Structure formats: structure tokens, C-alpha cells
Amino acid sequence: MLVGKIKYILITVIIFIVPGIAQVQADCSYERKAELSRIASNVQFSYDYEMNENGNPEFTVTISNLTNDIYIEDDMTGEFISGIGERNISYPNGSSIQFKIYSNDQNCYGDSILTQHINLPYYNYYSSSEECRNYPNFAYCQMWLNTNITTDAFNNALGNYKQDLQTQNNEAVDENTLWENLLVFWNENKIMLIMAIVCIIILIAYICLRKRLRRS
């Protein structure tokens, strides 16, 4: 008798639960998931920066096109972002941030939809040094550069760069001097050089003509 009552209770519970589960599954349909995917894909991520009073960049990531259908998890800060419109969040330079977008629909709540990545550039602190102001084309003077070289390594590389520049300048000076000397020589001996060129042309023409006459 007790066993029969237990079976009756279980059957009754199942009768009430199963339709509810089926309804939830029906509400979280393929069409709804596709719509949520479209909404998540429409979320835009962009970043900008401003230099603070210490001369260091401060980055701001802007997340726009937010809706109540989704929420976002920032894996760097652990913050959950939700609501309508846009959000601005500050990050240090060189940050690599992963934004995970989930469904906020009560029937699909917590379903992972999309993941977006933002990699902020590394700021090269050497770029604001006096050496880089004097030699802006030096390889380690780019503003956005991920470099971990020491000050000694930087100075050694800069010294080699200066030597290369000096060598190139000396070669340019030597080349310019050569052309200047040739120009001076031409200007000072222009008449004689022209006469010599004319004589050479006449001599070549005479030799060619003489060979032609001998063949004929």
C-alpha cells in the first residue's frame, strides 16, 4: 500500500515537472539562440588613450550596443557588465582582456554566446626620454613597443646607432666632395675637355671610315 502511494506521488511530480522542462526548452529555441548570437555580435569594443600629467597613457575601453538580453564578464577584473547603452572601463597599457558574452534571457540564462579579445599596446617609456627626442628614428624609440631591455642595453644599442649614423654621414660627405671636385674640375677646364671630346669623336669616326673603305 505504501509502495503504491509512493509511485502515485512520483508519477504526479513527474506529470507537473516534465511539461515545465519542455516549456523552458521550447522558449530557449534555436531561433532565440540565433537572435542572442546576433545581439552579441553587434556589441562593439573600441579603445582610446589619454596621456596623464606624468606623461603616461591611460587607456579606456568602450563597450557599446549593450542590451538587457546579454551580460558580459571581464576576465581581467572579474566584473560583470550589463544594462543598455555603453560602458567605459579603464585599463593599464599592455593589457590583454577577454570579454565573455552570456545570455541574460531567463530561459537561456548563463549560456555562453561569444568571446571577444582586446589587446592594448605596450607603451615604451624610453620614447619620452631625451635620447629619443634627439634620435626619434632609433629602433627603441617607438612610442608603442613591448620592450624589456635594461637601461644599459638601451644605451649600448643607441651608441651603436650613433656610430652607424656618423659612418653614413661621413660616406655622404665623401660622395658629395667627390662630385663637387669633379664639377670644379669641369668648370675650370671646360674648353679643353670639350676640345678633347671632339678630337676623340673625330678620331673614332676617322678610324671607322677608314675600315669601311678598306672593306670596299
Side-chain angles (χ1 to χ4, degrees):
M1 194 68 165
L2 180 60
V3 175
K5 289 183 178 180
I6 293 174
K7 286 182 178 180
Y8 175 77
I9 293 171
L10 289 175
I11 292 172
T12 303
V13 170
I14 291 172
I15 289 173
F16 281 101
I17 290 178
V18 170
I21 295 174
Q23 180 64 33
V24 169
Q25 291 175 340
D27 290 342
C28 193
S29 63
Y30 173 80
E31 289 76 13
R32 178 54 174 160
K33 289 181 179 180
E35 182 183 12
L36 289 170
S37 179
R38 179 187 58 78
I39 292 171
S41 299
N42 195 42
V43 176
Q44 299 296 314
F45 297 85
S46 61
Y47 64 83
D48 199 358
Y49 74 94
E50 291 183 356
M51 303 300 289
N52 60 24
E53 58 184 8
N54 297 321
N56 299 323
E58 293 183 350
F59 280 89
T60 299
V61 172
T62 300
I63 309 173
S64 55
N65 296 336
L66 291 169
T67 76
N68 286 326
D69 298 277
I70 57 172
Y71 68 91
I72 300 173
E73 180 185 8
D74 176 350
D75 78 329
M76 184 172 176
T77 64
E79 180 183 1
F80 288 94
I81 304 158
S82 60
I84 300 175
E86 68 176 35
R87 289 284 302 277
N88 296 313
I89 310 173
S90 298
Y91 297 94
N93 75 91
S95 297
S96 181
I97 315 146
Q98 182 174 263
F99 295 100
K100 297 179 180 179
I101 305 178
Y102 297 94
S103 167
N104 201 32
D105 189 306
Q106 63 178 353
N107 296 320
C108 309
Y109 185 81
D111 285 1
S112 178
I113 304 173
L114 184 66
T115 300
Q116 296 281 22
H117 298 270
I118 294 289
N119 295 313
L120 301 179
Y122 285 88
Y123 177 67
N124 177 19
Y125 292 95
Y126 288 111
S127 65
S128 60
S129 66
E130 182 178 355
E131 291 85 354
C132 284
R133 286 194 292 270
N134 294 330
Y135 299 94
N137 294 325
F138 177 48
Y140 293 120
C141 285
Q142 300 175 45
M143 185 175 183
W144 304 114
L145 182 67
N146 183 12
T147 175
N148 294 318
I149 64 170
T150 63
T151 302
D152 289 341
F154 176 86
N155 291 332
N156 290 334
L158 180 59
N160 294 333
Y161 177 74
K162 290 178 180 179
Q163 290 180 356
D164 291 341
L165 283 181
Q166 186 61 45
T167 300
Q168 293 173 12
N169 291 335
N170 291 339
E171 290 175 352
V173 169
D174 291 341
E175 184 177 349
N176 291 335
T177 302
L178 174 62
W179 284 109
E180 289 174 359
N181 291 337
L182 289 174
L183 184 60
V184 171
F185 180 76
W186 169 263
N187 290 331
E188 291 179 350
N189 304 278
K190 185 183 300 183
I191 297 176
M192 293 182 60
L193 290 171
I194 292 174
M195 292 177 61
I197 292 172
V198 170
C199 291
I200 292 173
I201 293 174
I202 293 173
L203 179 60
I204 293 174
Y206 171 75
I207 293 172
C208 292
L209 180 60
R210 188 173 180 182
K211 287 183 177 180
R212 184 176 297 179
L213 291 174
R214 284 182 178 178
R215 290 175 183 173
S216 60

